[in-house]
Amino acid sequence: MKPLRWAALFVIVAMTGCSSMKPQDFANRRPELRIEEYFAGHTRAWGLFEDRLGTVRREFTVDIAGTWDGRELVLDEDFTYSDGETERRVWHITKTGAATYEGRAADVIGTAAGEAAGNALQWSYDMNLKVGGGTWRVRFDDWMFLQPDGVLLNRAHVYRWGVWIGTVSIFFQPQARPAAAG
């Protein structure tokens, strides 16, 4: 009987870990998030990774240089971790529809897919994540929410082998931008 109880508990935990949110749930929320506009220029971010027990395992800052050419958004991200380690990731994000995106980066496996509505963007992808001296294949389920005053909140649930291993929380803030020519 005990193995059956554990199996039932596992199914309940696994089911409650799945989100039923959809980007369309946020269609009427403002301010509207257009990542190609939001990330054009210099953006700074602060974040942390919490394991599944809520223990903060890593903190970091990110400086992002973004360029938008009308079709592709390039995000050149420089990470600095609290332990002094640095990392660079360059995203190439293509707008594929009125509210859909595809993205690629060197450590992303295949193509990332995103869909926006209102103030939200849902972004999912598989990644080779550096852990210690090796790499883990993990899946990210990102949700970004644009708030008043230009703050962008990002919560990403991270999964390995389909099991939730932790959450990344990031707060983005655009830095001083040059005035538009005109």
Side-chain angles (χ1 to χ4, degrees):
M1 194 70 148
K2 284 187 179 182
L4 184 56
R5 287 184 195 164
W6 283 109
L9 179 62
F10 177 78
V11 169
I12 291 169
V13 169
M15 289 175 59
T16 59
C18 298
S19 174
S20 61
M21 281 193 318
K22 296 175 185 61
Q24 295 76 20
D25 296 341
F26 303 91
N28 295 320
R29 306 263 179 101
R30 299 292 174 258
E32 187 172 359
L33 175 58
R34 292 188 184 113
I35 62 169
E36 63 275 17
E37 293 174 9
Y38 184 85
F39 285 108
H42 178 222
T43 304
R44 182 126 171 117
W46 302 263
L48 53 84
F49 173 78
E50 297 172 81
D51 68 18
R52 59 189 293 157
L53 300 174
T55 303
V56 174
R57 296 292 181 177
R58 203 142 199 220
E59 297 174 72
F60 56 90
T61 58
V62 190
D63 282 296
I64 305 164
T67 57
W68 169 246
D69 67 7
R71 185 168 188 288
E72 182 181 63
L73 174 64
V74 177
L75 301 178
D76 190 340
E77 303 176 331
D78 288 311
F79 290 79
T80 303
Y81 294 92
S82 56
D83 62 6
E85 183 180 350
T86 61
E87 182 179 20
R88 181 174 181 232
R89 177 173 300 111
V90 178
W91 280 97
H92 294 269
I93 301 170
T94 305
K95 190 166 186 172
T96 57
T100 56
Y101 302 87
E102 289 183 349
R104 291 179 175 71
D107 52 358
V108 171
I109 301 165
T111 304
E115 183 177 357
N119 74 332
L121 172 80
Q122 196 247 338
W123 191 240
S124 59
Y125 52 94
D126 291 342
M127 172 184 276
N128 285 320
L129 182 67
K130 288 191 297 184
V131 177
T135 59
W136 289 1
R137 182 180 179 146
V138 296
R139 178 151 197 73
F140 278 79
D141 180 20
D142 274 311
W143 279 91
M144 297 180 180
F145 301 94
L146 183 57
Q147 302 299 298
D149 299 324
V151 173
L152 182 64
L153 307 177
N154 184 151
R155 292 204 26 109
H157 292 289
V158 185
Y159 300 87
R160 184 171 187 215
W161 297 317
V163 176
W164 173 60
I165 61 170
T167 301
V168 178
S169 300
I170 307 173
F171 303 88
F172 298 92
Q173 179 71 60
Q175 301 302 290
R177 312 251 169 143

